[in-house]
Each structure stands twice: as structure tokens, then as C-alpha cells.
Amino acid sequence: MSCQMSSENLTQLLQGCSDFNPCALALFLMRIVPSPWEGLRCHFAQLSGVIAALGYRTFILVLTFLCYTTYHLSRKPISIVKSELHHNCSSSPRNNSNSTTWCDWKPFDQANYKELFGALDNAFLVAYAIGMYISGIFGERLPIRYYLSGGMVLSGLFTALFGLGYYWNIHELWYFVLVQILNGLVQTTGWPSVVSCVGNWFGKGKRGLIMGIWNSHTSVGNILGSLIAGVWVSKSWGLSFIVPGIIIACMGVVCFLFLIEYPEDVECSPPLHHAGSEEKDLDAGHSIGDGSLTVSNNSRENIIDVAESVKEPAEEREAISFLGALRIPGVLEFSFCLLFAKLVSYTFLFWLPLYIMNVAHFSAQKAGDISTLFDAGGIIGGITAGLISDYTGARGTTCCVMLILAAPMLFVYNSVGQNGLGVTIVMLLICGALVNGPYALITTAVSADLGTHKSLQGNAKALSTVTAIIDGTGSVGAALGPLLAGLISSRGWDNVFYMLITADILACLLLSRVVYKEMRGWCGCYTRKRGYVFAEPKHICL
């Protein structure tokens, strides 16, 4: 017996019971009045559907988290191994020579070793930045499962090839630069793919908090990469690359076997990205208040109809063009803001262990372990930024405030951060939270919001392109940061920190128009709450 009776069946039943004899009447009552057990069965069926959808969403969140964790895990070893490729050999217990470079790995044994390290970083990051713009276009047109898993296997191959240079006794700069370029290109398959997949499964409601927690894969990957590379850095640095390469390749196989791209693939309803826009398509009896959507019982079926109607036109439309994605409001502002925010983050990613080793005079392994505190702070910052932006609805203002606070904290860290281990720990946690918080928010929740912007009118084939544009522009800054750090550090680490502070300030200024619009929205919301404007608001007032 179904949970609800169709009007046709009810009409036929009434026609069959026109004589109103007792048996027909009893049969009629049994058909139109479901038993308590039947109602309980219907509720259990609905509950099982909700639990199944929640289980799938949790699985996708965990799987994509692990996938991108391995991407960052495979990028981190180069920053740890730098201190082993060139260090003061006079302090080595096996020193049998008066030379201070006898134990260095050629060609990084020269006085210009910092510039060579910068060239390695730049080869990877420039290739990554260029490839990211192309990757988003391919990501919209190819199955995510094939695209992502193939990129992970190739990333593992090129990461391992860098480490094999140790066992093959390769001392040619072009080999390491070429491997970095190829690795940078294939690593662009990761970010647009995982963000698109998560965006397909999760609506806008608590996107900031969910993606803030999910985006901790960046910091978790950096931490694991540092710890894994640190195990072999002083013994056999080739394994510092080979082991992470094997890990990401194996995870690519897991991704190929188990990734589910769309909720519809497992008969789950797709998320509603803009509750306000679908509101007019629902029956009367629903209301929006306090940031939540309440729907009456007789309109529950319509929610599924709306979700299906949103999906159908999206399937018929072509993927958005590059210029079309640039015209989405907010894409340019957040893209250029991320350029400077990522410049700061990636300078720390590639140079922090060497900075700690030079300034605090720790060993290569200990400097790598301490540098993970910056990434631990990034986890806290990403979750905090997502939570605040969900509550306020102001993603731009959240980023701007954190960037403003980051600038003086960087100056303080450079001034007093090495005055003791306790001070170093506290300052790295604070700087990591303030630097990586905006970076995490822009690359996750903001990208997903813009990729499902209401101006797209339900076109679902924009998320990967928008994500690639934002992260690709940010990757230009990621390439410039380590390169400039390699050039400037020869004149003192103070100049490197001045560069980072300037970049933070510029990132904040680029969001000024977005912040202004958000503040105007707050003022209008406050005015309506006070009763001065009686028109119905177009957005939810918190």
C-alpha cells in the first residue's frame, strides 16, 4: 500500500462503493485511512532515504578530503629536502675536507643555491598557474572520476621521478626543473575536480563551515608531507619523494573505484543552491526566517520537482566559456585577492623550514617538524573563517578582517618569533590561522558560491571553470612568492617579511568593493529590522 492515494484511485473506489453496503464501506475506510503501522512504515522509508543521502555526502566529503590531502602531501617534500641539498658541511661528523660544500648535492652546492631553489619552486608553480586555467575547461567536459584519478597517478609518477634522481645520481638542473614542470601541470587536475564534486553534493546553507573543515586537507597534507619527508631527509632524501609519490598514486586508484560525481548517480536529490530563487516555485505554506527554510507537508513533493527542474536545464546547457565565467560578479575581485593571499601562503609553504633552520639553527628534521605548526594554525583559521562567514553571510568582509590582522602579526613573528620555542609555537599558530584562513575561504566556499551564482540561471557547468580561474590566478601569486623570496632572502629575511606584509595589505584593498557592498547590505537589513522600510527584503536578515 502506498503512503498516499492518487485522485484517480480514489475516484474509482468511490464509484465502486456507490451502493454503500457495509462491506464496501469498510473496504473504503480501510483504503483511505492508513493504519498506524502503514504511517510508521512511510516515515521509516523517508528516514532511510535521508540517512542514505547523508551517508553518501559524508563519504564524498571524506574521499575528496583524502584525495586532496595526498596532493599537498606530495608537494611538501621539496621544502624539507632543500636544507639537505645545501647545508654547512663543516659541521658534518664525516667531514674529511676543508670544503664547506663537499656534502651538498650538485648543482645546489654553489653560492647561488637560493636562486636555484627558487627556480625549482617557480618551475612547478608557473606550470601549475598556467595549467589551472586549462584544467578548469577540461574539468567541465570530462568525467571527474577519470580526470581526478588520472591526475593523481601521474602526480605520483613525477613526484617519484624527482626522488629517483638521488638513486640515479643525477646532478643536472634541467632534469629537476623538467620534472617540476610536468608535476605542476598534472597537479592542476586536483582542485577544480574536488571542489566541483563537493559543490555537486552540498548546497549553500552551511557551505562555509563544511568547506572550512573540509579544506583542512591542505594543512593536513602539508603536515603529513613534512613528517614523511623528514623521516628520510638526512638518510636518503630520494625516499622523501618516492614514498609520497606512491601514496598519491594509490589514492588515485581508490578514487577511480569509489568516487561518485553526482547525487543523481545514486538516486539522491541534488542540493538547492539558492533557496530564495526556488521559493516562488513552491506551494504556499512555506516560509523563510532566521536563515532556515521551513516547508509545509503538502509542498514536500514540490521540492523534489524543483530540484529536478533545476537539473534538467543544466544538463541541456553547454559548459560556460572562460569570458562568461569572468563576467560573474565577484570573480575578478576574489581572484586577484587570492593572488596576493596565496603569495604569502606559498612563500611559507616552500621557505619556512629553511627560514627556521637559518634563524633558529635547528636541524633539517626539527625545522620541518616545527614548520607544521603553521599548517596546524591554518586548519583553525579555515574553520573559523567558514563559521564566521556562514553566520554573517559576508565572505569578503571575513577575509578582509583576517588579512588586516595578519599583516602586523607577520611583523611581530619576524621580530620576536625566534626568542624561544614557546613564542615560536604561538606565533606560528596565529600567523598560520590569519594567513591561511582567507586563502581557504576563497578557494572553497567563495569559489563554490560564485560557481553556482544566481546569474548563471541554474547552469551547473560553471563550477569547475570558476574554481580554476580563481585558483589559477592565485597560483600566479604562489609562483611569484617563492621566486621573490629566493631573490630577496640573500639581502636578509627582514625584506622577505616586508614583501609578505605588503602582499597582505594589497589583498585586503582588492576586496574593498565587495566589503562595501556587504556593509550596505547590512545597513539595509538593519533599517528593515527597525521598521523604517516595509518592503519585503530580498535576502535573509540575520
Side-chain angles (χ1 to χ4, degrees):
M1 186 181 296
S2 60
C3 296
Q4 292 186 351
M5 182 180 298
S6 65
S7 58
E8 293 81 0
N9 292 337
L10 182 60
T11 303
Q12 294 175 3
L13 185 61
L14 290 173
Q15 291 174 353
C17 297
S18 56
D19 296 336
F20 291 101
N21 58 67
C23 294
L25 181 60
L27 178 62
F28 172 70
L29 292 176
M30 290 176 63
R31 292 290 298 275
I32 67 171
V33 182
S35 68
W37 296 108
E38 179 65 20
L40 188 62
R41 186 189 68 81
C42 294
H43 284 298
F44 271 121
Q46 295 173 357
L47 182 61
S48 63
V50 172
I51 294 175
L54 180 61
Y56 279 122
R57 284 179 168 85
T58 303
F59 173 75
I60 292 300
L61 208 63
V62 172
L63 181 59
T64 53
F65 178 94
L66 294 175
C67 286
Y68 209 71
T69 295
T70 58
Y71 270 97
H72 266 263
L73 181 148
S74 65
R75 296 177 194 174
K76 187 64 177 177
I78 184 66
S79 66
I80 304 299
V81 174
K82 280 178 183 177
S83 56
E84 185 65 22
L85 295 177
H86 183 99
H87 62 89
N88 187 1
C89 300
S90 61
S91 60
S92 175
R94 296 175 296 171
N95 186 12
N96 298 319
S97 171
N98 293 327
S99 173
T100 59
T101 61
W102 68 271
C103 64
D104 295 337
W105 189 267
K106 295 179 181 181
F108 307 105
D109 59 341
Q110 305 299 319
N112 64 339
Y113 70 96
K114 289 185 179 180
E115 287 79 2
L116 298 182
F117 287 154
L120 286 181
D121 297 337
N122 209 48
F124 175 90
L125 294 169
V126 169
Y128 185 87
I130 295 173
M132 184 60 73
Y133 291 108
I134 305 172
S135 178
I137 298 173
F138 283 112
E140 298 288 7
R141 292 160 174 81
L142 296 175
I144 294 177
R145 185 164 65 94
Y146 298 151
Y147 192 57
L148 180 60
S149 58
M152 295 176 73
V153 172
L154 290 175
S155 296
L157 172 63
F158 293 123
T159 300
L161 282 176
F162 196 104
L164 288 173
Y166 173 82
Y167 295 99
W168 294 343
N169 201 27
I170 295 176
H171 297 277
E172 300 295 333
L173 181 63
W174 66 264
Y175 172 83
F176 297 107
V177 170
L178 179 61
V179 170
Q180 286 286 83
I181 292 174
L182 295 175
N183 198 13
L185 289 174
V186 297
Q187 288 242 343
T188 60
T189 59
W191 190 240
S193 299
V194 295
V195 172
S196 296
C197 190
V198 173
N200 291 335
W201 280 89
F202 291 90
K204 191 174 181 179
K206 295 296 181 183
R207 183 178 281 167
L209 176 60
I210 291 173
M211 285 193 157
I213 298 172
W214 174 75
N215 191 65
S216 62
H217 51 48
T218 300
S219 299
V220 172
N222 291 339
I223 293 171
L224 291 177
S226 298
L227 297 177
I228 292 173
V231 173
W232 293 284
V233 63
S234 299
K235 305 171 185 176
S236 179
W237 62 260
L239 288 174
S240 297
F241 290 91
I242 294 174
V243 173
I246 294 174
I247 292 174
I248 187 175
C250 292
M251 196 64 212
V253 176
V254 173
C255 172
F256 177 79
L257 294 176
F258 298 106
L259 184 67
I260 304 171
E261 299 180 28
Y262 299 99
E264 299 89 335
D265 294 341
V266 287
E267 299 181 355
C268 290
S269 299
L272 299 178
H273 295 290
H274 299 284
S277 61
E278 281 82 21
E279 180 179 332
K280 59 187 178 184
D281 296 322
L282 298 176
D283 287 343
H286 67 282
S287 61
I288 295 181
D290 298 328
S292 61
L293 178 67
T294 305
V295 186
S296 62
N297 290 331
N298 61 356
S299 64
R300 285 174 183 160
E301 295 83 0
N302 292 337
I303 297 178
I304 300 176
D305 295 337
V306 169
E308 292 175 350
S309 66
V310 171
K311 175 180 177 292
E312 289 174 0
E315 291 178 340
E316 296 173 359
R317 297 179 181 179
E318 295 181 356
I320 192 171
S321 65
F322 184 86
L323 293 178
L326 288 177
R327 286 194 289 267
I328 298 174
V331 168
L332 286 176
E333 289 93 333
F334 280 106
S335 295
F336 285 107
C337 172
L338 185 63
L339 187 150
F340 291 102
K342 207 167 181 179
L343 182 152
V344 179
S345 180
Y346 267 66
T347 301
F348 275 97
L349 174 67
F350 284 93
W351 285 92
L352 183 58
L354 186 62
Y355 168 77
I356 294 174
M357 182 179 175
N358 289 345
V359 176
H361 307 292
F362 291 137
S363 65
Q365 182 174 356
K366 189 172 183 180
D369 293 342
I370 294 176
S371 69
T372 61
L373 295 170
F374 182 84
D375 297 301
I379 297 175
I380 300 172
I383 296 174
T384 303
L387 186 62
I388 294 174
S389 67
D390 276 343
Y391 179 76
T392 61
R395 311 235 192 255
T397 305
T398 303
C399 292
C400 192
V401 171
M402 297 186 78
L403 289 168
I404 291 174
L405 295 175
M409 287 297 104
L410 291 176
F411 179 82
V412 173
Y413 171 61
N414 185 45
S415 301
V416 303
Q418 306 301 330
N419 289 348
L421 185 59
V423 177
T424 299
I425 293 173
V426 173
M427 292 306 304
L428 282 177
L429 289 172
I430 295 175
C431 290
L434 296 175
V435 168
N436 285 337
Y439 163 40
L441 186 62
I442 293 173
T443 54
T444 53
V446 171
S447 296
D449 289 349
L450 296 176
T452 55
H453 195 269
K454 60 183 179 182
S455 64
L456 297 171
Q457 299 179 349
N459 188 352
K461 294 187 176 182
L463 187 53
S464 183
T465 301
V466 170
T467 302
I469 289 174
I470 293 177
D471 198 48
T473 306
S475 297
V476 174
L480 288 174
L483 176 65
L484 294 174
L487 298 174
I488 298 174
S489 61
S490 59
R491 298 176 178 86
W493 288 104
D494 289 346
N495 294 322
V496 175
F497 276 86
Y498 294 150
M499 176 193 73
L500 300 180
I501 293 170
T502 303
D504 261 333
I505 295 173
L506 290 174
C508 181
L509 293 176
L510 286 166
L511 288 181
S512 56
R513 191 171 76 94
V514 175
V515 173
Y516 175 72
K517 290 174 64 177
E518 290 176 350
M519 292 182 68
R520 286 189 61 185
W522 287 342
C523 293
C525 181
Y526 177 75
T527 302
R528 286 190 290 269
K529 280 187 174 182
R530 292 292 300 271
Y532 297 114
V533 178
F534 296 97
E536 185 178 355
K538 294 183 180 179
H539 61 279
I540 301 169
C541 298
L542 296 176

